[in-house]
Amino acid sequence: MIIKTKKQIPDSGITDPKIFQQRRRIIKALALAPVLPLQNTYANRDSIENKSFAKLNKVAPHLENVDLTPPQFVKNFTNYYEFSFDKEESSQLASKLVVSNWSLEIAGEVEVPKRVYIEDLLKSALLQEYRYRLRCVEGWSMVVPWIGLPLSGILSAAKPLSSAKFVRFTSIFQPENMPKQAKGAMLDWPYVEGLRIDEAMHPLTILAVGMYGEYLPKQNGAPVRLIVPWKYGFKSIKAVVKIELLKRQPITSWNKFAADEYGFYANVNPKVPHPRWSQHSERVLGTGFFTPRRNTELFNGYGDEVASMYSQMDLRQFF
Amino acid sequence: MSLKLDNIRIPVALCCLLPLFWLLLDILLDRLGGNPIQAITIRLGDWALRFICITLAITPVQTITNWRGMADFRQMFGMYAFFYASLHLLAYLFVDHAAAWHTIYVDIIESIYLWMGVIAYFVILLLAVTSPNSAKKRLGKNWKKLHRFIYYAAIIAVTHYIWQLKGNLIQPLVYLILVILLLVFRMMVWLKSRQLSKLMLPRGKSVHLDQSD
């Protein structure tokens, strides 16, 4: 007697677990949708985690012929002192950040003060991919495909007054979810950074809302952060809630903590060492063992675009 | 104490290698995080510093517990401090910098914390070279004076650690406090023995509590 057994399922027939989970989520959402119409809109606002952008074909012209850093290095190696001074720990603790109902205030020396909602930024037709090298003052670098839009457009919309000479950026203050903020540890919270107005209006300066085709992970500055690629990483403030145009140079967090070590300008410059360590070279994250460090470039390699802004300045004095 | 320290010498020596195996395992399993090369250097430096602290702790432990004959272990731990400090240096030169000597030269010239690392290493190297009993005999009284330099090495090594951080000083401060406590203990023993010897003087006796140092 022949016992018929079912054919084995070929590997190709097995549903990818990601798709399976996605289907379950969709079914769940469909089932709940009619019951919870109001909460659903709220949920949409909260869902700026784990979402990807519709295919972005537009890549900004400032490309480098370099390999992108694998995303896991970017996601698991973050300086986010509001959570922890340890890079891996801060990457994990950052999941506590609440990013729902996020908006960005544009204020100060502007004709039209504005409030920009994150949903509008995420849907913006101006979004492009910007592949920038990020150089940390600690001596490491990575190349990240950010998704964002030039800051200049957003500032222009608020119509800056001629009195606006500087820009102050303020990060989120959420001590209930940020342990180091709650303890008042090290820096003055919330975190504050600043730029000169011409630096802020420069086409390389962007507000990023995503990376690697997806919305920004919380540890990398969700939902919106600044990216200034020719400056050390600490200038690229995360989780921005406020942008103010000012008459005078603002006091910024790291500069206040140690003015002799972390200058206001913080331009990447291999010839100006940090008072305690060299900035001559950098470890490129994701490179293997016995790979030499990379020689750091003036303005992080963006000198052609930005050097003219500093032609009248002594970069040793204005470091 | 009747515990025979001779019997545990080899197991202890093997235990001192565990941090290295642990590190090799972490390298193999890719468990060193986003900047594994920096993690290797830091881990090896940490263990060099820990072994310096363990070495410095032997005398207080002997004094407090009245255990004797731990000098062999002090030498062993000292040599392990040198071993991990050497690996730390090799990792910096050949793993992080891949023997790019010009970059290394500029890095050392421009980084004060590296000068401190270099100084601390040379002190430990000198002590390791003069560690064998033959060297001890040849140096006589000077050996003890020379090997007190381990205190300087400890303080410079902790400073080396503090000086390269961006502001978060909790971990190196723990080492600094530990080293200071170990030094304070010795100073107290020294003061006590001085006072005692003053008291004893009329009777023509002097007591040195700090025999093993």
Side-chain angles (χ1 to χ4, degrees), chain A residues 73 77 79 81 85 88 137-138 186 254 262 273 275-278 280-281 283 285 288-293, chain B residues 27 33-35 37-38 40 94-98 102-103 106-107 110-113 162-168:
Chain A
F73 288 94
F77 194 76
N79 276 325
Y81 280 24
F85 305 148
E88 259 101 42
V137 73
E138 293 167 6
M186 205 149 100
W254 277 103
Y262 309 103
R276 291 182 283 131
W277 60 79
S278 172
H280 176 256
S281 68
R283 162 67 43 200
L285 296 191
F289 294 102
F290 310 112
T291 311
R293 293 164 70 94
Chain B
I27 293 171
N35 195 346
I37 292 165
Q38 189 191 45
I40 290 169
F94 295 100
V95 184
D96 193 5
H97 285 268
H102 178 70
T103 314
V106 176
D107 203 27
E110 291 184 343
S111 313
I112 303 170
Y113 82 95
I162 291 175
W163 225 245
Q164 48 96 36
L165 288 173
K166 214 171 74 183
N168 162 35

Side-chain angles (χ1 to χ4, degrees), chain B:
Chain B
M1 288 279 169
S2 59
L3 181 70
K4 286 201 173 134
L5 293 169
D6 278 358
N7 296 340
I8 59 165
R9 200 181 303 164
I10 290 166
V12 170
L14 289 175
C15 279
C16 294
L17 283 172
L18 286 178
L20 181 63
F21 287 117
W22 176 23
L23 177 63
L24 292 174
L25 194 68
D26 282 346
I27 293 171
L28 280 175
L29 298 176
D30 195 17
R31 285 197 306 215
L32 289 171
N35 195 346
I37 292 165
Q38 189 191 45
I40 290 169
T41 321
I42 291 174
R43 186 87 74 85
L44 291 167
D46 263 345
W47 280 105
L49 200 48
R50 282 171 197 156
F51 273 102
I52 291 175
C53 291
I54 294 171
T55 310
L56 284 174
I58 293 280
T59 299
V61 168
Q62 283 199 147
T63 312
I64 291 166
T65 63
N66 275 330
W67 264 15
R68 290 296 165 204
M70 283 177 81
D72 283 1
F73 286 88
R74 189 166 50 195
Q75 187 189 25
M76 184 204 292
F77 293 141
M79 289 304 277
Y80 268 109
F82 169 66
F83 174 70
Y84 282 104
S86 301
L87 289 180
H88 174 66
L89 177 65
L90 290 173
Y92 169 80
L93 294 176
F94 295 100
V95 184
D96 193 5
H97 285 268
W101 300 109
H102 178 70
T103 314
I104 293 168
Y105 167 77
V106 176
D107 203 27
I108 294 178
I109 292 294
E110 291 184 343
S111 313
I112 303 170
Y113 82 95
L114 286 176
W115 299 7
M116 294 177 186
V118 170
I119 294 167
Y121 183 74
F122 276 119
V123 173
I124 296 169
L125 176 70
L126 189 66
L127 302 190
V129 168
T130 57
S131 185
N133 286 334
S134 55
K136 200 171 178 177
K137 271 180 197 160
R138 201 181 299 170
L139 283 164
K141 274 186 179 174
N142 289 326
W143 189 89
K144 208 170 168 179
K145 277 184 195 165
L146 180 67
H147 279 249
R148 288 217 171 107
F149 271 75
I150 188 72
Y151 308 135
Y152 297 107
I155 287 172
I156 297 166
V158 175
T159 318
H160 164 68
Y161 189 2
I162 291 175
W163 225 245
Q164 48 96 36
L165 288 173
K166 214 171 74 183
N168 162 35
L169 301 177
I170 295 158
Q171 272 182 343
L173 281 180
V174 170
Y175 286 107
L176 187 64
I177 290 165
L178 195 65
V179 170
I180 288 171
L181 284 177
L182 291 168
L183 286 179
V184 165
F185 180 85
R186 283 171 164 78
M187 269 151 69
M188 280 165 62
V189 170
W190 179 75
L191 279 175
K192 206 177 162 192
S193 73
R194 232 173 64 132
Q195 280 171 350
L196 272 177
S197 56
K198 266 186 197 165
L199 286 173
M200 303 288 181
L201 263 179
R203 277 187 258 165
K205 260 184 171 181
S206 78
V207 176
H208 291 285
L209 288 182
D210 197 13
Q211 283 163 341
S212 55
D213 206 334

Side-chain angles (χ1 to χ4, degrees), chain A residues 21-37 40 43-44:
Chain A
Q21 293 292 338
Q22 212 175 350
R23 279 188 199 147
R24 289 184 72 95
R25 233 180 291 147
I26 292 167
I27 293 165
K28 219 171 155 186
L30 284 173
L32 289 175
V35 193
L36 305 162
N40 206 31
N44 265 336

Side-chain angles (χ1 to χ4, degrees), chain A residues 173-188:
Chain A
F173 186 68
Q174 208 175 89
E176 64 275 23
N177 296 316
M178 296 173 137
K180 298 293 180 192
Q181 274 191 350
K183 284 181 197 153
M186 205 149 100
L187 302 175
D188 280 344

